[in-house]
Amino acid sequence: MVRIFSFDYGAVLKQAFQMQFMLLFSRQGKLRLQKWYIAHPDKLKKKITRELITTILARKPKMCSFLEWRDLKIVYKRYASLYFCCAIEQDDNELLTLEIIHRYVELLDKYFGSVCELDIIFNFEKAYFILDELLLGGEVQETSKKNVLKAIAAQDLLQEDEAVEGALRDIGLL
Amino acid sequence: MNNGGMYPYYESDWSVLPPEANRRFNPAFNMATIKQVVNEAIERVRMPTPMRLRDLIRQIRAARTAAEERSVVNKECAYIRSTFREEDSVWRCRNIAKLLYIHMLGYPAHFGQLECLKLIASSRFTDKRIGYLGAMLLLDERQDVHLLITNCLKNDLNSTTQFVVGLALCTLGAIASPEMARDLAGEVERLMKSPNAYVRKKAALCAFRIVRRVPELMEMFLPATRSMLSEKNHGVLITGVTLITEMCVNSPDTLNHFKKIVPNLVRILKNLILAGYSPEHDVSGISDPFLQVKILKLLRVLGINDVDTSEAMNDILAQVATNTETSKNVGNTILYETVLSIMDIKSEGGLRVLAVNILGRFLLNNDKNIRYVALNTLLRTVHVDSAAVQRHRATVLECLKDPDVSIRRRAMELSFALINSQNIRTMTKELVNFLEKADPEFKAPCSSSIVLATERYAPTRRWRLDTLLKVLVAAGNYIRDDVISSTIQLISESPTHQGYVTLQLYRALKEDLQNRQPLIQVGVWCIGEYGDLLTSAQSDDDIQPPTEEEVVEVYQRVLWSPQNTVTTKQYALMSLVKLSTRFTNTVSKIQSMIATFRSSLHVELQQRGVEFSQLFGNYSHLRAGLLERMPPLDAGGTGRGSDANQLNGEVEEEGMLGGGSPEGDEEEAIGAISNTNALLDFLDLDVINPAARTPPANVPPPGLLTSSHSQPSMTNNTNNQDLLDLLGLGPLGPPTVPPTENNNGSQPPAMPAPLDNGNLDFLAGGEGVFAPPVMNNVILEKQLPQMTAYEKDGLRVIFGLEKPTAGSANPDTLTIHVTANNNTLSNMTDFLFQVAVPRTFQLQMMSPSGTTILPNGKVTQIIKVSNPSKNVLKMKVKLSYVIDGNPVNDQIEVNNFPVDIWD
């Protein structure tokens, strides 16, 4: 397993993405969301996740938000009981990554209405959908909050319509 | 139909997503009502339905133990599997959603991969949305599945619903393999020209991903990319800039091609800064920082090494640098990116100063993140703009006191990078203060770095010695062995200061000694060597030099204190016996102190007690000769060239140039002797009993005659020359066989007859600092063709290739001299180097010179590879070591051996 890790790591460096992954986890160390922009075997993902959660939870609150971890730069920030953690390239702007995390939190907050950890647990797929309208392939695709929320709302509506339509068809009304 | 008592396993609900979740953003209240009616109707018609996602999550969260959770999950997984087998398409979406939650908890969920593809193929948007989410989470790069998903993606990329196209693009952007990239690049290129901005921006980032994975596909995207910069939509702009940046990084041609867009970029950036408040893109008073940063980054890529292009962006960079509001993180984000651009392009001198000053301001920022970024960036630029960074030295030193450990670490590194011959005194003073209060994890690297810095820049020998003493006091037990040995060495080669230093050390020994074993070790070594100078020392102040009795009292304390380690006591005992030849009126006291160790419970100490006592009895006539002062030691691992530096620097204070001859000459003259002397110590330690090789921590310093077995290792210390001849080493010509004087009797020490290079390596590489560069070995290394087999994380492994010679006994055996260098500041321990070769080869590995590599030290090993069938050599290398407590494992293949090895 260790071997796999070091091997894949070399490959990662050559084709490093702006953001390699984003993890959300709780103060208790429970993973709440994981978004990988880089192809890793599942085993490796788990190993990275486990190591990072342990490392970050061990840090004291007054420490800065950056962490050099293996060859990656880790940017993390805690919002209430949730940690938002991103891995970026050595050369990237870690302050901007903090802004991206903050933008994501704002979007979650707007969508759920003062978001809390439980919202993200029970509606984890929504949290993914929102992230996927903000970032694509690890890069920012939309800088307007309004546009992101509009896209999500429109897609939610599509689902609603289908639900009703399906139900009506099911009982023979359509 | 309840399953397991209180919990209703089957329950009805139509939507895969709980209606409660939707209420906040869906104002259509009556929708929920309709659904409820509908659901009830369905319930009557169809039973049973699978557990809802929400209920599964509740049930899992209610589990009190891991075992309980596992049982809930396993049961549900078994159920989900069964529905997959039955091709239940009605509940597939809900089951996959549950499976994704289970997957996040860390349970295997890959059996859902194909079901995700079925969802994607469904015509319902709900199915597609969950299906694509599942694909992004569950798919690895398995070829068969990818072929299927490529077809699905192709379909959806052609959908008329923008959100379906969006889902497909998003998925492609997240998991595109090279094959998928090739198959779908055409579709993506088409979508980049879509009239719909929502589709266009996603397509641009998909193209970004495709170019990343398959750079040769770049060409086809060029025309569509160019037009993206004329957009008003920020989403399209930022994705376009991102894509262009990626293309430029990948291809110099494209980079040149895009240089002409610099004016466009400058215009966009200018509009952003000058634009008034726009609510849609505002972040704390700054207009679209995300886009600004991306443009700055692209400018950096375009301006590197290009004076003209850089010239075109000087103004805007200055404008951004001066006009950006810095009260919030977001403003500093832009400034930071601006600084990076200014530093990387060929910018004007004034602009560079401005950039470094911004970093200087960052250092004073209240936000620790900003301070961290500043230190990091200064560390990167210090080698380019040293003078500009030097101006912020005081602030950097201030950061050594920062409460945040990451910042202190960076500040420490930057401080060491800032040291030069002008500021060495003040910098060292601050760093020694830092060392005193530093966390344990800093003490070792910090003290070693101070030692290195003083070695390079020390203004005078006396100052350097004083500094080393301070380090010994401040870093206590955290000091690495290299500091101990380099201190002893420096003292031994500074004859004019030995009295002074010994007095200082003596005074330090009278203070609190707890947790300062290295200090005691250096202290007693010096007192032992230079005890006569100590009692007659002239000190700067009026305090009288200590009397012999006072000195011996200190030994009493050191030797009987339970806090001192056995190694320290070994040093002290050796030193004490030496004192018996330096002192006159305390000899009998010393003798009795040593005699008490004849019954020490510790075998090493007892042995010394017994042996040294002999020197007061039957062999007392030998004592004076055996315990003579050590000749100056030769510099080992910690870098020579210190003298050159010193000669270039200020003239030494107070008669350093003793007798008008520069010290360098003096040193050279005694070089040969000291070389062999150090070697002798090694022979004493290692060769006689190679099996019992001691780890470096326990290796006593040169001059400590150890004999961990009954053999009399105290051969004639005054007669180095003979032994030297015996070994046939160095410049002294071919081996002769002189009579070995063996006063103590029984048998001569077992010496290996001819020392081949392997043994020399073994001796030379062994314990870093003490090991002198043995001449034969140096020549050998120079002559051999070398290749770097491995270089990562500060570990460098070099292969010196000794080709088989035609006439030799083994004409097809390649000898590889492996040298592993440690370029980090930490010890590498438990170093293990393993090699495998294909079956047609035969491999023979000699034992390595050690398992610990000190900073700047090395370990050597010899490998012999025979190749009777003359195949091309391939080698698998496995490396492992422990650094700062962390195990490192790595494996590489070495295939780049020269082809002509076996010609």
Side-chain angles (χ1 to χ4, degrees):
Chain A
M1 200 157 116
V2 172
R3 190 187 63 79
I4 292 171
F5 192 89
S6 2
F7 263 172
D8 277 32
Y9 226 74
V12 171
L13 277 183
K14 277 183 216 98
Q15 37 139 314
F17 286 72
Q18 192 253 322
M19 188 180 290
Q20 303 207 351
F21 55 83
M22 183 191 258
L23 304 174
L24 264 65
F25 54 89
S26 71
R27 229 167 18 163
Q28 288 74 38
K30 291 251 192 240
L31 188 64
R32 296 299 179 211
L33 180 143
Q34 52 173 335
K35 186 78 195 176
W36 298 83
Y37 296 107
I38 185 103
H40 279 322
D42 225 37
K43 245 184 189 169
L44 178 59
K45 287 182 189 171
K46 274 189 196 162
K47 186 179 154 68
I48 293 175
T49 309
R50 224 179 13 249
E51 277 191 43
L52 269 182
I53 291 179
T54 321
T55 314
I56 290 175
L57 288 180
R59 281 171 67 88
K60 296 187 189 77
K62 61 180 176 186
M63 293 181 171
C64 69
S65 302
F66 315 126
L67 179 70
E68 274 145 63
W69 185 81
R70 296 180 192 270
D71 296 318
L72 289 177
K73 208 145 68 174
I74 305 295
V75 179
Y76 72 93
K77 188 155 179 169
R78 190 180 143 181
Y79 287 85
S81 60
L82 267 190
Y83 283 86
F84 292 69
C85 160
C86 298
I88 56 173
E89 277 180 61
Q90 280 304 331
D91 237 24
D92 269 310
N93 189 328
E94 50 271 69
L95 297 180
L96 186 74
T97 308
L98 280 177
E99 288 298 322
I100 293 174
I101 292 177
H102 187 73
R103 171 57 59 94
Y104 182 43
V105 173
E106 283 179 326
L107 289 168
L108 289 171
D109 205 54
K110 272 258 162 57
Y111 182 82
F112 289 108
S114 76
V115 66
C116 69
E117 193 186 337
L118 280 178
D119 288 321
I120 294 174
I121 294 172
F122 281 99
N123 305 287
F124 69 91
E125 75 285 358
K126 298 283 185 199
Y128 278 112
F129 295 154
I130 295 169
L131 185 60
D132 284 342
E133 288 295 334
L134 174 65
L135 302 178
L136 197 157
E139 292 283 346
V140 175
Q141 61 166 307
E142 182 54 67
T143 62
S144 152
K145 271 184 272 190
K146 202 181 76 189
N147 283 354
V148 172
L149 292 170
K150 236 166 58 186
I152 295 288
Q155 292 174 73
D156 285 343
L157 202 66
L158 268 182
Q159 275 188 259
E160 291 285 335
D161 292 349
E162 273 178 3
V164 174
E165 195 188 304
L168 293 176
R169 179 172 293 131
D170 234 64
I171 55 172
L173 295 178
L174 263 176
Chain B
M1 223 183 159
N2 276 3
N3 192 323
M6 55 187 290
Y7 199 82
Y9 196 71
Y10 294 114
E11 186 193 330
S12 71
D13 174 25
W14 177 263
S15 165
V16 86
L17 303 162
E20 297 92 313
N22 292 347
R23 81 189 124 78
R24 287 198 190 112
F25 50 86
N26 184 4
F29 171 71
N30 55 350
M31 181 73 76
T33 326
I34 297 172
K35 272 173 68 183
Q36 203 183 343
V37 175
V38 169
N39 282 341
E40 279 162 13
I42 297 165
E43 204 172 356
R44 264 174 272 126
V45 202
R46 184 176 39 195
M47 286 279 276
T49 57
M51 170 158 48
R52 293 188 307 173
L53 170 65
R54 155 163 297 250
D55 293 324
L56 173 70
I57 295 175
R58 278 207 193 103
Q59 209 177 352
I60 288 173
R61 284 171 58 79
R64 270 159 306 173
T65 61
E68 212 177 302
E69 179 189 289
R70 208 159 38 240
S71 118
V72 174
V73 168
N74 286 342
K75 202 155 76 182
E76 188 61 23
C77 278
Y79 169 75
I80 293 173
R81 263 179 210 274
S82 74
T83 66
F84 289 167
R85 267 196 307 274
E86 287 157 18
E87 291 287 326
D88 176 356
S89 63
V90 181
W91 301 112
R92 188 179 281 136
C93 185
R94 175 185 292 188
N95 287 330
I96 285 292
K98 284 189 285 188
L99 192 60
L100 294 182
Y101 185 81
I102 288 169
H103 175 249
M104 185 147 58
L105 298 176
Y107 296 91
H110 285 78
F111 61 89
Q113 285 176 344
L114 275 176
E115 300 297 313
C116 287
L117 294 182
K118 287 178 193 162
L119 278 181
I120 293 171
S122 152
S123 58
R124 287 175 68 216
F125 183 72
T126 311
D127 286 349
K128 281 191 191 296
R129 216 178 177 192
I130 293 289
Y132 275 121
L133 178 62
M136 285 188 270
L137 287 170
L138 297 183
L139 289 192
D140 50 36
E141 298 210 329
R142 272 187 6 185
Q143 212 49 52
D144 46 346
V145 186
H146 267 214
L147 208 62
L148 292 174
I149 198 174
T150 304
N151 286 329
C152 296
L153 285 168
K154 197 162 196 149
N155 268 331
D156 285 342
L157 290 174
N158 284 296
S159 165
T160 48
T161 313
Q162 60 165 342
F163 295 118
V164 172
V165 180
L167 283 177
L169 285 170
C170 181
T171 307
L172 184 59
I175 62 170
S177 65
E179 294 75 23
M180 286 166 76
R182 283 201 186 84
D183 289 346
L184 298 171
E187 303 290 336
V188 172
E189 195 271 340
R190 178 179 57 80
L191 292 170
M192 277 177 73
K193 294 180 290 198
S194 154
N196 183 338
Y198 178 82
V199 170
R200 215 152 56 232
K201 68 183 185 193
K202 284 180 193 276
L205 285 185
C206 255
F208 159 82
R209 165 88 182 203
I210 290 172
V211 171
R212 269 266 159 118
R213 305 241 53 178
V214 193
E216 59 266 28
L217 290 173
M218 187 190 311
E219 201 89 358
M220 63 186 292
F221 295 112
L222 279 174
T225 308
R226 229 168 291 152
S227 59
M228 293 187 84
L229 284 187
S230 47
E231 292 269 351
K232 288 276 176 291
N233 181 303
H234 284 211
V236 179
L237 270 178
I238 193 171
T239 53
V241 171
T242 305
L243 176 56
I244 294 173
T245 309
E246 179 61 25
M247 290 173 162
C248 290
V249 169
N250 266 305
S251 136
D253 286 344
T254 318
L255 180 78
N256 282 327
H257 170 83
F258 278 113
K259 280 191 175 162
K260 60 172 183 279
I261 65 163
V262 169
N264 304 40
L265 293 170
V266 169
R267 205 175 317 123
I268 299 171
L269 196 51
K270 197 172 252 165
N271 285 339
L272 282 174
I273 320 173
L274 300 179
Y277 175 75
S278 103
E280 196 170 347
H281 298 112
D282 177 78
V283 179
S284 316
I286 300 216
S287 186
D288 208 336
F290 303 100
L291 180 55
Q292 286 199 39
V293 167
K294 279 288 168 204
I295 294 175
L296 285 165
K297 185 164 188 179
L298 178 52
L299 286 177
R300 164 154 58 130
V301 170
L302 293 171
I304 288 175
N305 291 328
D306 184 331
V307 181
D308 293 336
T309 314
S310 298
E311 171 70 33
M313 51 184 88
N314 268 329
D315 283 352
I316 187 74
L317 291 176
Q319 221 170 338
V320 178
T322 44
N323 287 355
T324 304
E325 164 71 39
T326 62
S327 59
K328 295 252 168 57
N329 177 66
V330 58
N332 289 320
T333 303
I334 292 172
L335 276 185
Y336 173 41
E337 195 66 41
T338 312
V339 168
L340 291 178
S341 294
I342 292 173
M343 291 304 188
D344 276 1
I345 66 166
K346 297 270 176 207
S347 46
E348 288 166 352
L351 205 52
R352 299 183 87 83
V353 173
L354 179 66
V356 175
N357 286 345
I358 289 174
L359 294 176
R361 280 211 312 278
F362 276 11
L363 285 179
L364 299 168
N365 201 296
N366 282 330
D367 185 341
K368 50 198 175 304
N369 292 336
I370 311 274
R371 291 200 298 275
Y372 175 86
V373 163
L375 288 170
N376 232 351
T377 314
L378 286 172
L379 192 59
R380 267 202 288 175
T381 50
V382 67
H383 306 291
V384 192
D385 279 285
S386 179
V389 181
Q390 285 288 355
R391 248 176 291 154
H392 302 283
R393 204 171 60 227
T395 327
V396 173
L397 289 172
E398 208 48 42
C399 290
L400 287 173
K401 298 170 191 143
D402 202 285
D404 187 339
V405 61
S406 314
I407 290 177
R408 285 202 302 277
R409 186 191 309 275
R410 282 280 163 273
M412 181 180 91
E413 287 167 6
L414 185 54
S415 298
F416 281 115
L418 285 174
I419 291 182
N420 58 30
S421 49
Q422 277 84 51
N423 62 26
I424 175 82
R425 284 174 190 266
T426 46
M427 293 297 281
T428 309
K429 193 166 158 237
E430 291 288 340
L431 285 162
V432 169
N433 285 341
F434 169 73
L435 178 62
E436 271 169 21
K437 300 180 197 94
D439 301 331
E441 56 176 314
F442 289 135
K443 292 212 175 198
C446 183
S447 52
S448 291
S449 296
I450 293 178
V451 170
L452 280 178
T454 54
E455 201 169 296
R456 284 186 67 187
Y457 300 116
T460 68
R461 182 66 63 112
R462 171 82 167 254
W463 180 87
R464 191 174 153 198
L465 286 164
D466 281 336
T467 307
L468 288 177
L469 274 174
K470 283 183 197 149
V471 169
L472 282 173
V473 173
N477 284 350
Y478 294 103
I479 282 175
R480 291 191 189 126
D481 292 333
D482 59 328
V483 176
I484 300 178
S485 52
S486 55
T487 309
I488 287 180
Q489 178 184 331
L490 183 68
I491 295 169
S492 105
E493 60 190 35
S494 317
T496 47
H497 298 289
Q498 282 157 353
Y500 165 78
V501 170
T502 310
L503 182 61
Q504 298 303 315
L505 280 164
Y506 170 75
R507 287 181 182 165
L509 285 190
K510 297 195 73 171
E511 304 289 313
D512 176 27
L513 288 178
Q514 225 176 344
N515 300 324
R516 297 217 167 97
Q517 300 296 316
L519 176 69
I520 308 177
Q521 289 167 12
V522 175
V524 295
W525 188 88
C526 286
I527 296 173
E529 290 297 319
Y530 315 116
D532 44 338
L533 301 177
L534 174 64
T535 45
S536 60
Q538 299 286 315
S539 89
D540 304 336
D541 38 43
D542 293 334
I543 303 164
Q544 287 295 306
T547 62
E548 291 184 11
E549 288 76 12
E550 283 171 330
V551 176
V552 172
E553 222 162 88
V554 168
Y555 277 81
Q556 194 110 23
R557 227 159 24 93
V558 169
L559 283 169
W560 273 276
S561 161
Q563 269 131 22
N564 291 340
T565 63
V566 172
T567 310
T568 302
K569 289 182 183 174
Q570 287 177 18
Y571 271 83
L573 214 49
M574 181 66 221
S575 161
L576 189 60
V577 74
K578 284 203 166 195
L579 275 185
S580 74
T581 66
R582 319 271 196 272
F583 285 0
T584 47
N585 43 18
T586 42
V587 178
S588 61
K589 170 80 176 153
I590 291 174
Q591 185 184 351
S592 67
M593 278 168 73
I594 289 171
T596 56
F597 277 89
R598 288 186 302 189
S599 56
S600 169
L601 285 176
H602 196 280
V603 66
E604 283 285 328
L605 298 175
Q606 187 193 53
Q607 194 174 354
R608 278 177 180 69
V610 171
E611 288 171 357
F612 293 163
S613 291
Q614 293 288 305
L615 293 175
F616 292 96
N618 295 344
Y619 299 101
S620 58
H621 60 286
L622 290 175
R623 187 150 50 91
L626 278 175
L627 301 173
E628 266 182 6
R629 189 178 295 173
M630 295 281 298
L633 308 165
D634 186 34
T638 52
R640 302 235 39 172
S642 51
D643 293 300
N645 267 323
Q646 271 167 8
L647 291 177
N648 292 338
E650 301 163 37
V651 176
E652 301 270 354
E653 286 173 352
E654 37 171 359
M656 262 311 293
L657 311 171
S661 83
E663 202 169 83
D665 290 357
E666 212 176 308
E667 226 165 86
E668 247 163 61
I670 51 177
I673 298 170
S674 58
N675 239 352
T676 52
N677 210 303
L679 189 60
L680 278 178
D681 286 309
F682 263 89
L683 294 173
D684 189 47
L685 275 172
D686 287 356
V687 178
I688 292 174
N689 187 5
R693 221 184 308 140
T694 32
N698 299 328
V699 175
L704 244 177
L705 294 171
T706 58
S707 52
S708 44
H709 38 94
S710 59
Q711 224 169 49
S713 58
M714 284 184 231
T715 38
N716 211 328
N717 214 18
T718 51
N719 213 347
N720 289 344
Q721 211 65 27
D722 288 350
L723 198 46
L724 202 66
D725 282 349
L726 177 72
L727 293 170
L729 280 180
L732 298 164
T736 55
V737 188
T740 324
E741 288 184 39
N742 215 321
N743 298 311
N744 284 11
S746 47
Q747 54 195 141
M751 293 290 174
L755 274 177
D756 66 17
N757 288 323
N759 278 334
L760 281 177
D761 268 352
F762 161 66
L763 289 167
E767 316 297 352
V769 178
F770 290 132
V774 178
M775 197 155 285
N776 298 15
N777 194 27
V778 172
I779 294 169
L780 198 65
E781 275 179 9
K782 273 184 192 148
Q783 287 172 344
L784 296 179
Q786 292 196 341
M787 55 184 277
T788 301
Y790 181 87
E791 184 152 25
K792 197 165 154 191
D793 301 334
L795 174 66
R796 196 154 99 129
V797 180
I798 296 169
F799 283 1
L801 305 176
E802 190 182 342
K803 292 182 194 176
T805 41
S808 70
N810 304 307
D812 44 37
T813 301
L814 168 76
T815 308
I816 303 175
H817 299 260
V818 181
T819 312
N821 292 301
N822 175 3
N823 298 323
T824 69
L825 292 173
S826 305
N827 282 344
M828 293 176 173
T829 56
D830 303 326
F831 179 76
L832 185 63
F833 181 85
Q834 292 167 293
V835 166
V837 288
R839 284 223 183 97
T840 53
F841 294 83
Q842 279 150 22
L843 182 71
Q844 198 186 355
M845 292 185 79
M846 311 299 157
S847 57
S849 62
T851 56
T852 297
I853 323 182
L854 297 174
N856 289 323
K858 62 175 181 179
V859 158
T860 56
Q861 189 166 10
I862 289 192
I863 306 174
K864 293 190 173 175
V865 185
S866 333
N867 182 12
S869 43
K870 305 264 191 263
N871 285 330
V872 177
L873 176 57
K874 284 183 183 167
M875 192 178 269
K876 271 194 177 153
V877 173
K878 213 170 167 179
L879 291 148
S880 66
Y881 57 93
V882 177
I883 187 162
D884 294 329
N886 300 317
V888 179
N889 291 286
D890 206 353
Q891 189 170 323
I892 49 160
E893 277 195 45
V894 183
N895 295 332
N896 53 338
F897 286 97
V899 280
D900 57 339
I901 299 178
W902 278 283
D903 284 355

